[in-house]
Amino acid sequence: MKASFRALVLSASLFSLPFAALADVTLWAVDDMVRINPETGKAFEDSPKQLPGGISGDYRVENAVWSAQDQTVRLDAARNEVVAFQIIIEGEAAKVTVVAATMQGPGETSIPAWQFKLFREWYIRIGEKAGDTADKACMAPLGAGWYPDVAIPLTEARFGNGFSLPSKDFHTPDGSQTPRQQNQAVWVDLFVPMSTKAGLYTGKINVTADGAVHSVNIRLNVWNFAIPNTMNMHAELMNYGQTAGEPDPEVMYRYFRLAQEH
């Protein structure tokens, strides 16, 4: 009787755990040229009427960088180049952390984990009027919704690693609207050092959701040439000459270097 009672108490305690503790997530990835709607999982650029050449099909299964069959992101890069992609985390969890591992290459070569820069994408509400109006730069309107905009480093103490899904962090300025969040995008930058040996490198990014670890595999092909350190062009940076007018040449150089790295 005592043993049966203990088993009954144990069973009851398991079912009384918070839902988030038992929740699970799924992962997929997409390239750096699209924005994923956090409510629907659909790319805003999946809009044949506005962008006939935009992304389409079941890009959760396969796209320019991703294959769900082996949970792998495939990238190509020169030495001294930054390559980027996005991990999409779908589901519910009280605490999510994302950590990159060292990439192993030919022989004993590697790209250390600290060459990854990870960012939590921050969602901004675009209303119906703005979402349906072409702007002065002739950008196609892609509709209202919560657009990923700001990139928050995952090293940031308050809004970085350890976020929940869905999160209460996102809302309109007056607090009246919040997204019905179903997924969270994490932006990944990977810098390939100038000294990197050409060849195939493999690694992982691990996503831990309420203690359960999920992984995205990464296969990086490093080409046998490098992006030069010296810029031999003027980088306007789509600011219509304002950067070129920067009075401090060191500040202007930093702008150009940032553009060159990416």
Side-chain angles (χ1 to χ4, degrees):
M1 290 295 291
K2 291 183 179 179
S4 299
F5 178 75
R6 285 197 297 268
L8 180 62
V9 171
L10 177 60
S11 299
S13 65
L14 289 174
F15 283 107
S16 67
L17 288 172
F19 175 74
L22 301 176
D24 202 359
V25 300
T26 58
L27 309 179
W28 54 287
V30 70
D31 63 37
D32 55 353
M33 296 298 290
V34 299
R35 294 162 293 181
I36 301 300
N37 187 319
E39 297 184 312
T40 66
K42 180 180 178 181
F44 285 101
E45 289 75 13
D46 187 354
S47 179
K49 182 178 179 181
Q50 300 287 25
L51 294 175
I55 192 170
S56 61
D58 194 349
Y59 33 86
R60 284 184 178 86
V61 174
E62 186 174 11
N63 57 59
V65 299
W66 171 249
S67 171
Q69 184 174 3
D70 53 7
Q71 289 286 108
T72 299
V73 173
R74 290 176 171 80
L75 305 167
D76 296 284
R79 301 192 302 274
N80 205 32
E81 182 178 10
V82 173
V83 287
F85 63 95
Q86 301 169 76
I87 295 175
I88 312 301
I89 307 166
E90 291 188 342
E92 294 188 22
K95 183 178 181 180
V96 179
T97 59
V98 186
V99 178
T102 293
M103 300 279 289
Q104 301 297 331
E108 300 298 319
T109 62
S110 64
I111 300 175
W114 58 265
Q115 295 293 3
F116 284 93
K117 298 294 185 292
L118 306 176
F119 305 86
R120 182 186 179 198
E121 298 185 30
W122 196 267
Y123 299 101
I124 305 297
R125 172 70 183 174
I126 301 298
E128 282 70 16
K129 183 178 180 180
D132 293 331
T133 304
D135 66 20
K136 295 180 180 179
C138 302
M139 296 294 289
L142 298 177
W146 290 87
Y147 282 73
D149 184 70
V150 181
I152 307 294
L154 287 186
T155 54
E156 202 278 330
R158 181 177 177 185
F159 297 112
N161 258 333
F163 58 85
S164 61
L165 178 60
S167 172
K168 296 180 180 179
D169 291 335
F170 312 117
H171 52 77
T172 53
D174 63 2
S176 63
Q177 296 185 64
T178 58
R180 297 183 299 275
Q181 188 180 18
Q182 302 293 321
N183 68 74
Q184 173 68 54
V186 171
W187 185 280
V188 181
D189 275 346
L190 171 59
F191 176 64
V192 182
M194 181 71 83
S195 59
T196 304
K197 183 179 180 180
L200 178 65
Y201 291 75
T202 59
K204 292 179 182 292
I205 290 182
N206 295 317
V207 177
T208 303
D210 294 341
V213 180
H214 309 261
S215 297
V216 168
N217 302 311
I218 306 172
R219 292 173 64 87
L220 170 69
N221 175 46
V222 177
W223 291 315
N224 193 25
F225 64 89
I227 304 294
N229 282 319
T230 303
M231 292 188 69
N232 295 299
M233 55 175 282
H234 174 77
E236 186 180 82
L237 307 182
M238 285 295 288
N239 63 12
Y240 307 100
Q242 294 181 28
T243 302
E246 168 61 52
D248 186 340
E250 179 59 27
V251 173
M252 183 170 65
Y253 170 79
R254 290 175 184 173
Y255 277 121
F256 290 172
R257 180 60 179 166
L258 181 65
Q260 180 190 23
E261 288 177 353
H262 290 76

